[in-house]
Amino acid sequence: MTENMNEPVKPRKRRRLSRRDFLIVLGVGAAGFYAGVRLGTPYLRLRLVDFLEESGGPPSNIDAPPDAWFEILINNTVNLYLPKSEMGQGVHTGLAQIAAEELDVDLDQMQVFHAPTTRLVDPVGTSASNTISSLFTPLREVAATLRELMRAEAASQLNVLPQDLVLEAGVFSVSSNPDQQRKYGELFQSLDQWELPENPPALKDPSQYRQIGQPLPRVDLPAKIVGKAVYGFDVRIPGMLYGAVARPETIEGKLVNASPGQAASLPGVVKVVTEDDFAGVVAKSREEAYRALASLQLEWDPGKLWQQEEIEAMVTVGQGRGVVIQREGNVNQNLNNGTLVEAEYRTPMAFHAYMEPMAAVADVGPDKVEIWASTQAANRLRGAVAEAIQRLQDEIVVHPVYLGGGFGRKIDELAAVEAARLSQTAGQPVQVAMSRPEDFNTGFLRPPTHSILRASLDENGMILAIEHEASSGEVAFPFLPSIMGTVMGADFGSYRGANVYYAVPNKQTTAWLAKLPVSTGWWRGLGLMPNTFAVESFIDELANSANLDPLEFRLRHLPDDETGQRTRNALQIAAEEVNWGASLPEGHAHGIAMSYDYGTIIVEIAEVSVENDQIRVHKVTAVADPGLVINPDNVIAQTQGAITMGLSASLLEEVQIRDGAFQATNFNQYPLLRNADAPDIKVVVLNSRNSPTGMGEPPIGPIPAAVANAVFVATGQRLRRLPLKFD
Amino acid sequence: MNLKVNRQDYQVEDTPDRLLLWVLRDELGLTGTKFGCGIGICGSCTVHLDGSPTRACITMLSAANNMEVRTIEGLAETDSAGEPVLHPVQKAFLDEQVPQCSWCMSGQMMTAVALLEQNPNPNADEIRQAMNSVYCRCGTYYRIRKAVERAAQLKAVEQ
Ligand code: FES
Ligand code: FES
């Protein structure tokens, strides 16, 4: 487009939110969404679909024009703004590779930033391992669109046809006269009216990929390695004060009376806030704020003093509401034929225990509210702050910063809301950065689960019928409009991984849901790890009853489709890697487990020994097939990380409730896996398709069962409860 | 009192119960040293006091009197052109692409630097034991061990 003063300025065209984008917007990912919809009765299901169609979805401009995503500096540096949070899972690098692919630039020409909510809003947040899969196409389309807009601009400036231009590292040159050039940087600056094409340009064929599929170094590490990366806990802005907030000691505790006591006269104290349900202190330093907090006079109603046994009784198959989520053939009839095998499994509540506790800074001004936070859900957080301090969403800007781990919990907006309330009263920016006990005691947990599995085996050792009844506390429902819960009945977060994947003629899965007095919610993989622990342990028990090798037993029960083929391949490669069946050092044993999760296939084999009832995991070998691999080294890193975190959950972690409070308040009572107990982890990455699935969570699924299955081989004892231990 | 951090002198007020961690982070703005537990368990806050790895979250400011404090910000050197030159441990952690969220990494790297200063050629078991003191929730332990081995090699080549 050339500038023409006489022509009216054309408004920028924005593409309408497409239906596919809208499903992504729902936060469930298409697969989870449809899985959810399958559950409702037909009438309710239709109502839900209507509701979704009519509402047009939450307001969103994630389908935003290129200049919301990109800014190209005159020196040809490409700034990429992302509405997804980098919490260690490497998504900023993966997304940068995807964008660089269609822009035809190298990664070291790019800088990646978290987009403030004024630039891009992602209604969903960063969760459920769907970042790469949901943005894979939209981001390539927006990058290709920008590239073609700049090509048209270059052609017009150079007076040639677009097809006469050659593009190399962000520079267009005329093919017949290579000295004639225009750089991305110049073109981007001169593009001030954009007309977006109705249809995005054609995207590259996978055979042409130069960035996608490469093990490129992560874009966030140079700043992190020198200690310069800024997290919520690290944000420092001029005039910033430190907040400390009073917290109940019990899960149902409520503040009934608060008075400032001597707090206001203590050194450094700027403001003491005592409201009906909220008390806190703002001071010049963190230490002064916490000291003053201790001198507030507070009266609490502790609520009911719950005990662990009561919580476990609620999360028990048959309690609460049960919804059938998978039904093939006739299970009831066929369970009575053949040999019946039955077992039950439990997993406990767990903390997220990321290393950076919740932290946020709020600056509540008369015209504008700014928030800096380690958040997985900037949009949610914006809404929560708006409501808490009675301001319009549009007045609030959220600047997401790096997260020192999130694992689902940093969807929680508590620290930001508290910082905003304190800042509003103090009239200055305030940081709320929790101590470890505050972080442990104020949020939601991984819900406890209980599973009962039953199956019958025929005389050839094949499964005739299998039934899984899976009970869990809530995962997704507390975060969704209540209509979703009413219609779906079963919480898709809780039952993730509960369906029986294997080819069995008669199978049925029922999801039981318990609403607990303790808040439960997202935890890396949601229900995937607890459910996979139950199902994959049980499959091993069946193999044992059938007198078959557990690998062979799994191979015999794979579905006869593309997924079954991919799984067969992954199982066989894993088996070859460890030389399955060959003898191991004295006392060592192998255990195998797999998961199929939203298109990602993971197989894990643990090498374990048991001495004096102590389980030692010596080595884990994993095969990961995430469809299309964006960055193989990051797939390996995520697999290693998820396995290590899953081992910590397998061997050590458990939250117990006594007299209405969590028994553990810090790491002395809630130890995590340490380096000396963490095994070497070998990962084989398979590239099997043309589109990517998720990798942040799936590898956490199989590891507890892989270890329990190995423990069984080593000792003859079947452990059916996490953390795995001998009583 | 005078506090010496990364070869620089700072004047800070030493009221009796101040902890080194918050002075570094909140007063001097050296936020590369992280907080994870406040009770000396996780190791995220590890700095060096005269070369020994020390948990800043349970160290009184007064304990740093007349000592050299070294933090992650003081690990890289600066060359004559003013460009940062990474410490071999930082280089190795980058080469092995160790960090994920990286919140624990200052503690990991400061611990590794202290190990290699004491024992330039640690065996696999010595690395496991030395690095056992710092938590990593993202689960990078295996890569940490590989990076410490690599750092030892890099240091050996450098000398
Ligand atoms: S913060 Fe110091 S050891 Fe955890
Ligand atoms: S890299 Fe996240 S805690 Fe270690």
Side-chain angles (χ1 to χ4, degrees):
Chain A
M1 276 159 282
T2 46
E3 297 240 350
N4 183 335
M5 301 299 286
N6 299 324
E7 247 174 40
V9 177
K10 280 188 206 144
R12 284 179 187 179
K13 281 194 189 166
R14 294 186 178 216
R15 283 190 291 128
R16 266 168 48 84
L17 193 66
S18 71
R19 184 161 162 75
R20 188 210 56 223
D21 294 329
F22 176 59
L23 289 179
I24 292 164
V25 158
L26 266 174
V28 210
F33 173 69
Y34 288 121
V37 163
R38 271 210 311 272
L39 308 175
T41 63
Y43 172 78
L44 287 175
R45 183 175 63 218
L46 286 176
R47 290 281 69 78
L48 175 63
V49 172
D50 284 354
F51 161 77
L52 298 173
E53 295 274 24
E54 282 162 22
S55 69
S60 158
N61 66 345
I62 192 163
D63 204 21
D67 57 340
W69 295 85
F70 296 102
E71 172 183 43
I72 307 183
L73 308 182
I74 200 76
N75 69 1
N76 247 18
T77 300
V78 178
N79 288 344
L80 172 63
Y81 293 87
L82 291 171
K84 294 288 184 183
S85 300
E86 180 58 68
M87 46 189 160
Q89 81 284 41
V91 288
H92 277 194
T93 307
L95 293 174
Q97 282 177 261
I98 289 167
E101 189 67 70
E102 287 296 337
L103 272 184
D104 257 322
V105 295
D106 285 334
L107 217 51
D108 46 21
Q109 238 176 296
M110 285 180 109
Q111 305 186 104
V112 184
F113 302 93
H114 284 103
T117 51
T118 34
R119 191 176 257 278
L120 280 169
V121 176
D122 173 6
V124 178
T126 311
S127 56
S129 296
N130 71 9
T131 294
I132 296 288
S133 58
S134 67
L135 286 182
F136 179 61
T137 301
L139 185 53
R140 282 181 306 148
E141 285 178 352
V142 81
T145 302
L146 175 59
R147 183 196 67 220
E148 290 312 308
L149 286 170
M150 291 191 292
R151 188 194 301 276
E153 177 72 13
S156 141
Q157 289 185 13
L158 294 166
N159 245 322
V160 296
L161 293 171
Q163 57 267 39
D164 296 335
L165 292 170
V166 182
L167 175 60
E168 178 76 49
V171 181
F172 288 107
S173 47
V174 178
S175 47
S176 56
N177 183 1
D179 288 347
Q180 292 265 70
Q181 294 187 336
R182 284 292 184 278
K183 288 186 179 154
Y184 271 4
E186 302 158 352
L187 296 164
F188 187 88
Q189 309 287 330
S190 59
L191 270 170
D192 54 4
Q193 300 172 39
W194 298 20
E195 192 169 349
L196 297 183
E198 278 304 323
N199 293 310
L203 300 176
K204 278 189 190 173
D205 183 81
S207 63
Q208 297 169 290
Y209 289 160
R210 293 189 311 149
Q211 310 282 344
I212 293 175
Q214 297 305 312
L216 300 176
R218 282 175 50 154
V219 296
D220 51 333
L221 296 202
K224 286 179 170 178
I225 218 91
V226 294
K228 293 272 189 278
V230 173
Y231 302 70
F233 226 105
D234 302 336
V235 172
R236 299 289 178 264
I237 56 172
M240 189 187 95
L241 302 170
Y242 295 82
V245 176
R247 317 223 175 252
E249 279 173 11
T250 52
I251 53 177
E252 286 190 353
K254 294 237 168 342
L255 190 59
V256 283
N257 215 329
S259 70
Q262 299 303 308
S265 59
L266 291 177
V269 174
V270 174
K271 197 92 202 172
V272 177
V273 182
T274 49
E275 293 169 9
D276 282 354
D277 57 338
F278 180 74
V281 176
V282 178
K284 292 202 180 108
S285 77
R286 179 184 176 89
E287 292 179 295
E288 287 163 333
Y290 276 86
R291 206 172 299 130
L293 184 74
S295 73
L296 294 183
Q297 318 238 294
L298 306 171
E299 205 185 304
W300 299 94
D301 169 2
K304 181 165 156 54
L305 302 182
W306 293 94
Q307 305 294 347
Q308 180 68 19
E309 296 72 25
E310 295 174 277
I311 307 285
E312 280 193 23
M314 294 169 90
V315 182
T316 292
V317 167
Q319 300 290 312
R321 182 176 178 187
V323 173
V324 174
I325 56 166
Q326 181 184 38
R327 181 184 280 149
E328 285 174 39
N330 187 330
V331 162
N332 287 341
Q333 225 164 56
N334 287 288
L335 273 179
N336 299 323
N337 303 329
T339 320
L340 183 69
V341 182
E342 182 171 350
E344 55 186 290
Y345 305 84
R346 276 195 181 271
T347 71
M349 291 186 285
F351 292 131
H352 300 74
Y354 37 64
M355 298 315 298
E356 180 205 20
M358 302 276 281
V361 174
D363 184 5
V364 179
D367 316 311
K368 189 175 171 191
V369 177
E370 286 192 274
I371 309 278
W372 291 261
S374 301
T375 175
Q376 286 179 248
N379 186 44
R380 245 190 97 82
L381 187 151
R382 187 175 61 160
V385 169
E387 200 183 307
I389 60 169
Q390 297 291 305
R391 297 287 289 262
L392 297 173
Q393 285 221 17
D394 288 350
E395 294 173 285
I396 299 172
V397 186
V398 181
H399 305 271
V401 292
Y402 285 123
L403 286 78
F407 310 121
R409 168 75 189 283
K410 285 183 183 161
I411 284 168
D412 191 327
E413 58 274 329
L414 190 61
V417 164
E418 292 171 344
R421 288 179 80 166
L422 293 175
S423 170
Q424 189 178 38
T425 318
Q428 264 176 277
V430 174
Q431 179 180 57
V432 169
M434 294 188 189
S435 69
R436 180 58 58 181
E438 290 180 271
D439 186 279
F440 273 2
N441 291 338
T442 53
F444 57 87
L445 285 80
R446 190 181 82 211
T449 68
H450 174 231
S451 281
I452 299 180
L453 282 122
R454 290 183 201 92
S456 58
L457 292 167
D458 70 14
E459 60 280 8
N460 299 320
M462 294 298 284
I463 310 171
L464 201 56
I466 186 164
E467 176 177 35
H468 182 197
E469 296 198 80
S471 172
S472 169
E474 293 181 322
V475 170
F477 279 4
F479 305 87
L480 292 174
S482 57
I483 182 172
M484 303 281 267
T486 313
V487 174
M488 290 180 180
D491 184 320
F492 64 86
S494 307
Y495 70 69
R496 183 161 164 198
N499 277 357
V500 176
Y501 161 75
Y502 295 98
V504 177
N506 305 288
K507 51 185 176 183
Q508 181 164 309
T509 303
T510 307
W512 295 89
L513 191 61
K515 185 144 186 52
L516 300 175
V518 49
S519 304
T520 56
W522 320 97
W523 192 95
R524 196 175 193 171
L526 320 185
L528 181 68
M529 188 186 78
N531 284 315
T532 307
F533 168 60
V535 175
E536 282 292 293
S537 294
F538 188 64
I539 293 292
D540 238 60
E541 301 206 42
L542 292 178
N544 187 53
S545 299
N547 264 318
L548 279 169
D549 172 83
L551 169 70
E552 177 59 29
F553 188 75
R554 284 177 172 80
L555 290 170
R556 287 190 193 184
H557 284 92
L558 292 180
D560 190 15
D561 57 14
E562 187 229 353
T563 307
Q565 269 312 323
R566 287 170 62 205
T567 310
R568 179 174 306 277
N569 192 30
L571 282 164
Q572 282 167 340
I573 289 171
E576 275 162 36
E577 277 296 324
V578 303
N579 216 348
W580 181 263
S583 67
L584 287 168
E586 177 73 26
H588 288 214
H590 273 149
I592 189 167
M594 57 87 48
S595 72
Y596 174 74
D597 180 53
Y598 291 166
T600 303
I601 291 160
I602 306 283
V603 174
E604 288 166 9
I605 298 178
E607 183 181 329
V608 167
S609 69
V610 180
E611 228 175 281
N612 303 325
D613 286 352
Q614 278 306 106
I615 300 169
R616 274 203 69 85
V617 180
H618 300 273
K619 188 173 180 189
V620 176
T621 303
V623 177
D625 175 355
L628 176 74
V629 176
I630 306 296
N631 183 324
D633 189 54
N634 198 46
V635 170
I636 294 171
Q638 285 308 297
T639 307
Q640 291 168 329
I643 287 173
T644 306
M645 185 171 174
L647 279 173
S648 190
S650 304
L651 300 174
L652 297 168
E653 294 177 41
E654 174 167 28
V655 174
Q656 297 252 1
I657 290 184
R658 276 291 156 246
D659 302 331
F662 302 135
Q663 274 191 308
T665 59
N666 206 327
F667 290 128
N668 51 345
Q669 295 143 324
Y670 191 87
L672 305 180
L673 192 79
R674 289 183 176 277
N675 196 316
D677 298 321
D680 289 3
I681 302 171
K682 164 95 199 268
V683 183
V684 179
V685 181
L686 304 179
N687 193 61
S688 67
R689 283 170 151 193
N690 286 340
S691 62
T693 56
M695 267 313 297
E697 299 170 314
I700 205 167
I703 192 65
V707 174
N709 294 343
V711 167
F712 176 74
V713 177
T715 66
Q717 283 199 64
R718 174 59 63 178
L719 303 180
R720 299 192 181 91
R721 193 181 176 114
L722 296 188
L724 302 169
K725 53 184 177 212
F726 298 92
D727 297 317
Chain B
M1 68 175 257
N2 183 65
L3 183 66
K4 195 162 196 182
V5 185
N6 301 329
R7 300 200 200 120
Q8 222 176 303
D9 289 307
Y10 298 90
Q11 288 307 313
V12 296
E13 203 184 320
D14 180 23
T15 47
D17 46 3
R18 293 194 89 184
L19 291 165
L20 177 61
L21 177 64
W22 306 116
V23 174
L24 291 172
R25 287 183 50 87
D26 299 346
E27 189 167 334
L28 308 188
L30 297 170
T31 55
T33 302
K34 305 303 190 191
F35 166 82
C37 68
I39 55 169
I41 290 188
C42 73
S44 293
C45 64
T46 307
V47 298
H48 291 183
L49 282 195
D50 281 353
S52 331
T54 303
R55 315 228 139 173
C57 73
I58 48 169
T59 301
M60 290 298 165
L61 173 62
S62 51
N65 203 4
N66 293 322
M67 299 255 221
E68 287 263 357
V69 182
R70 197 179 187 197
T71 71
I72 186 74
E73 289 92 344
L75 220 47
E77 306 278 337
T78 312
D79 69 9
S80 51
E83 291 291 315
V85 182
L86 294 182
H87 186 281
V89 165
Q90 288 172 306
K91 188 153 187 330
F93 272 61
L94 202 53
D95 290 346
E96 295 288 342
Q97 293 281 294
V98 180
Q100 290 190 21
C101 85
S102 205
W103 189 255
C104 72
M105 284 297 157
S106 312
Q108 307 284 4
M109 289 186 283
M110 296 312 287
T111 305
V113 169
L115 166 69
L116 297 180
E117 276 167 7
Q118 234 177 28
N119 176 1
N121 196 10
N123 65 31
D125 208 50
E126 288 165 337
I127 293 176
R128 270 182 185 262
Q129 290 319 319
M131 300 313 295
N132 200 40
S133 58
V134 188
Y135 274 167
C136 174
R137 184 51 155 177
C138 298
T140 66
Y141 295 131
Y142 174 45
R143 287 194 183 208
I144 289 171
R145 297 195 293 265
K146 289 206 291 184
V148 175
E149 270 172 38
R150 187 184 180 91
Q153 290 163 3
L154 288 175
K155 272 192 95 173
V157 172
E158 241 177 41
Q159 274 151 16

